[in-house]
Amino acid sequence: MKASTLLLLGALSVPVASAAAQTTDQGRPVRDVLIAEVNDDLPRFLDLMKQIETVNQRLGLGAKLRVFRATFAGERTGEVYVYWELPSFMRFAEVETKLHQDPEYRRILGELDQAGMGFRSELLTIEITPR
């Protein structure tokens, strides 16, 4: 997914996340799961994710950013997933807004785009494990 598409997804996610926050249990974490396109250059992709984590820290967003690679996953083996974890949908909406307003974050998205990298798919999940 190109950076411009990702920016659009982010913009669309904020109202959806805000509306969803009104109907969910806010005591459970929200995970934004992105299926990454690394264009056969995983080290560069990981470096760009490290730069995004630096933005996360600088802005004090408190989001947990993690990157995973699928193993023992059949035809999905080797796929790379990026997870953002936040305490609630409301916090997700706030973080998305702050990130997409940040010039450094937008620059990093541009670098991903220029390198033929980005995200193929995105989904928001909320934990529903019975307590």
Side-chain angles (χ1 to χ4, degrees), residues 13-15 17-18 88-98:
S13 297
V14 173
S18 297
S88 69
F89 273 102
M90 288 300 289
R91 188 66 188 140
F92 171 79
E94 293 166 2
V95 165
E96 281 288 299
T97 299
K98 288 180 182 179

Side-chain angles (χ1 to χ4, degrees), residues 2-21:
K2 300 295 183 203
S4 57
T5 305
L6 191 60
L7 283 170
L8 177 61
L9 275 176
L12 294 174
S13 297
V14 173
V16 170
S18 297

Side-chain angles (χ1 to χ4, degrees), residues 97-125:
T97 299
K98 288 180 182 179
L99 278 174
H100 289 283
Q101 290 174 345
D102 185 76
E104 184 178 356
Y105 181 75
R106 290 194 312 267
R107 178 195 57 77
I108 296 165
L109 289 181
E111 283 188 41
L112 281 166
D113 194 35
Q114 287 179 340
M117 299 176 182
F119 304 98
R120 274 188 276 155
S121 182
E122 178 177 22
L123 61 118
L124 290 176
T125 66

Side-chain angles (χ1 to χ4, degrees), residues 13-115:
S13 297
V14 173
V16 170
S18 297
Q22 297 170 9
T23 60
T24 60
D25 178 357
Q26 289 303 290
R28 296 176 185 255
V30 172
R31 289 178 185 92
D32 184 18
V33 182
L34 303 150
I35 300 174
E37 190 65 58
V38 301
N39 199 18
D40 295 322
D41 192 353
L42 184 59
R44 182 158 185 218
F45 180 81
L46 292 174
D47 179 62
L48 292 166
M49 293 303 100
K50 192 181 296 185
Q51 291 179 43
I52 289 175
E53 176 58 20
T54 300
V55 172
N56 177 33
Q57 296 297 318
R58 177 177 50 79
L59 296 175
L61 300 176
K64 293 180 186 174
L65 175 67
R66 293 187 173 94
V67 182
F68 296 90
R69 181 186 291 173
T71 59
F72 301 106
E75 62 186 50
R76 300 278 189 227
T77 298
E79 278 191 349
V80 176
Y81 300 87
V82 177
Y83 287 66
W84 283 96
E85 183 174 313
L86 295 135
S88 69
F89 273 102
M90 288 300 289
R91 188 66 188 140
F92 171 79
E94 293 166 2
V95 165
E96 281 288 299
T97 299
K98 288 180 182 179
L99 278 174
H100 289 283
Q101 290 174 345
D102 185 76
E104 184 178 356
Y105 181 75
R106 290 194 312 267
R107 178 195 57 77
I108 296 165
L109 289 181
E111 283 188 41
L112 281 166
D113 194 35
Q114 287 179 340

